[in-house]
Amino acid sequence: MCFENFDFGVIMSWSGKVAEGCCKRYGLISEQQHGFLSKRSTVTNLLSGHNDWTSAISNHNAVAVAYIDFMKAFDSVCHTKLFLRLSSLGITGNLLAWIKNFLTDRQQCTRVGDKVSDTVKILSGVIQGSCLGPVLFVLYINSITKVLPNSVTCLLFADDVKIYTVIKSDIDNVNLQIALDRITDWSIKWQMPISVKKCSVTIYGKNALRISPYYLCGFRLRFTDTVKDLGVTMNCQLQFTEHVSCIVGKAHSRAYLIRKCFISRNPPLLMRAFNTYFTLDPC
């Protein structure tokens, strides 16, 4: 597979959807990635994980899930290693040269009011807000799925990573730790620092086995009974009580404010206002 003879007219009209379509056609994007892809979303990511976890719990097993957070992931992408990554995928020639020109020799500054800071050269990161930036990031982080043991499953939504395994014996604890060690090595190799303080482990279901402590980047990961996964809060029994309570509380608060601020008592108007202001930030 090689993109060296890729039509330059297509390159110049390259967009996120075109890029995604090409990458999918040639199998460059992992099936475990759910971010920035058509027919993929936070919903498909959550459903995929929950299906595996509920199946394990139904079989009277527990599941250990490690939630991993990268530090300023989009800004940390090393350009040199990104270009090597793209080249290894067969993206070469004019297309690779065009992507290099797109990312290199860029500058940025900060403006506050009428004051502008000095410009600085951008040495790393993909261009956020661009069509191509998210696809380049997905291709960059994609290789993390290839370093894990077969018994450990990985789900990604852009830079949000969770890995998990069913705990049936002490070997499963060892395999999850091996996966965490390999992710540590991967983050060093690809210069993607991990924010260990934001990482955690949650054990779903009950298990008679002793769960060993897990370590990432030399630090012991904290265990938590409640986690916010892609905006959805759930406890270690896969219950959404806290999430539902949050939404109900926010709904009552918004309804009270709308009733207080609006003179009209016309039900359709108040309902429209509620739907507008509540759905923007339900929880």
Side-chain angles (χ1 to χ4, degrees):
M1 174 178 52
C2 180
F3 293 83
E4 185 170 358
N5 296 321
F6 201 93
D7 184 85
F8 198 72
V10 176
I11 296 174
M12 296 305 294
S13 63
W14 185 282
S15 69
K17 288 190 178 296
V18 174
E20 176 194 334
C22 291
C23 292
K24 280 187 173 181
R25 185 186 310 164
Y26 292 100
L28 303 185
I29 298 178
S30 170
E31 288 295 321
Q32 293 145 303
Q33 176 63 257
H34 292 254
F36 306 123
L37 302 175
S38 60
K39 300 182 181 179
R40 294 293 184 94
S41 63
T42 55
V43 175
T44 58
N45 182 294
L46 290 169
L47 287 176
S48 181
H50 276 245
N51 180 65
D52 293 341
W53 305 339
T54 53
S55 295
I57 293 174
S58 297
N59 293 324
H60 307 289
N61 294 312
V63 183
V65 184
Y67 295 89
I68 300 166
D69 186 272
F70 287 99
M71 190 183 303
K72 298 180 179 179
F74 283 80
D75 296 327
S76 299
V77 174
C78 173
H79 289 168
T80 302
K81 293 186 177 181
L82 172 62
F83 300 148
L84 289 174
R85 172 70 179 155
L86 296 176
S87 179
S88 70
L89 294 174
I91 301 174
T92 58
N94 289 335
L95 180 55
L96 182 59
W98 183 81
I99 294 174
K100 286 182 178 180
N101 288 334
F102 175 70
L103 291 177
T104 55
D105 295 327
R106 301 181 74 100
Q107 294 181 331
Q108 66 180 12
C109 64
T110 302
R111 182 188 183 102
V112 179
D114 58 349
K115 303 293 183 181
V116 181
S117 69
D118 296 333
T119 57
V120 294
K121 191 173 183 179
I122 300 176
L123 302 176
S124 64
V126 294
I127 311 303
Q128 298 189 51
S130 65
C131 294
L132 190 56
V135 179
L136 292 176
F137 180 81
V138 166
L139 291 175
Y140 189 79
I141 201 173
N142 188 66
S143 61
I144 196 172
T145 62
K146 301 181 184 300
V147 303
L148 304 178
N150 293 331
S151 60
V152 176
T153 304
C154 175
L155 285 176
L156 301 96
F157 185 86
D159 60 324
D160 286 303
V161 180
K162 53 178 171 270
I163 60 173
Y164 57 91
T165 188
V166 178
I167 304 297
K168 297 180 179 178
S169 66
D170 291 334
I171 295 177
D172 299 312
N173 284 321
V174 173
N175 286 334
L176 186 59
Q177 182 57 59
I178 290 173
L180 291 169
D181 292 338
R182 291 182 181 178
I183 288 177
T184 298
D185 296 338
W186 182 93
S187 70
I188 295 172
K189 176 181 178 181
W190 293 95
Q191 296 177 233
M192 293 279 288
I194 296 173
S195 180
V196 182
K197 291 183 179 180
K198 295 182 179 180
C199 301
S200 64
V201 175
T202 301
I203 308 298
Y204 294 112
K206 297 180 179 180
N207 189 17
L209 292 173
R210 179 178 177 273
I211 302 297
S212 303
Y214 299 109
Y215 296 85
L216 182 65
C217 299
F219 295 91
R220 182 171 178 171
L221 291 176
R222 60 187 174 88
F223 284 89
T224 178
D225 291 333
T226 303
V227 65
K228 194 168 187 178
D229 185 2
L230 298 178
V232 177
T233 304
M234 55 191 169
N235 61 26
C236 58
Q237 298 302 319
L238 289 180
Q239 297 172 336
F240 305 96
T241 306
E242 184 176 333
H243 186 76
V244 172
S245 298
C246 173
I247 293 178
V248 171
K250 184 67 70 69
H252 279 297
S253 176
R254 293 292 169 87
Y256 172 78
L257 289 174
I258 290 172
R259 186 174 182 276
K260 183 178 179 181
C261 298
F262 279 66
I263 298 176
S264 173
R265 289 295 179 263
N266 179 264
L269 176 64
L270 295 176
M271 182 61 70
R272 184 176 180 182
F274 178 82
N275 290 336
T276 299
Y277 292 107
F278 179 66
T279 54
L280 290 175
D281 180 26
C283 192

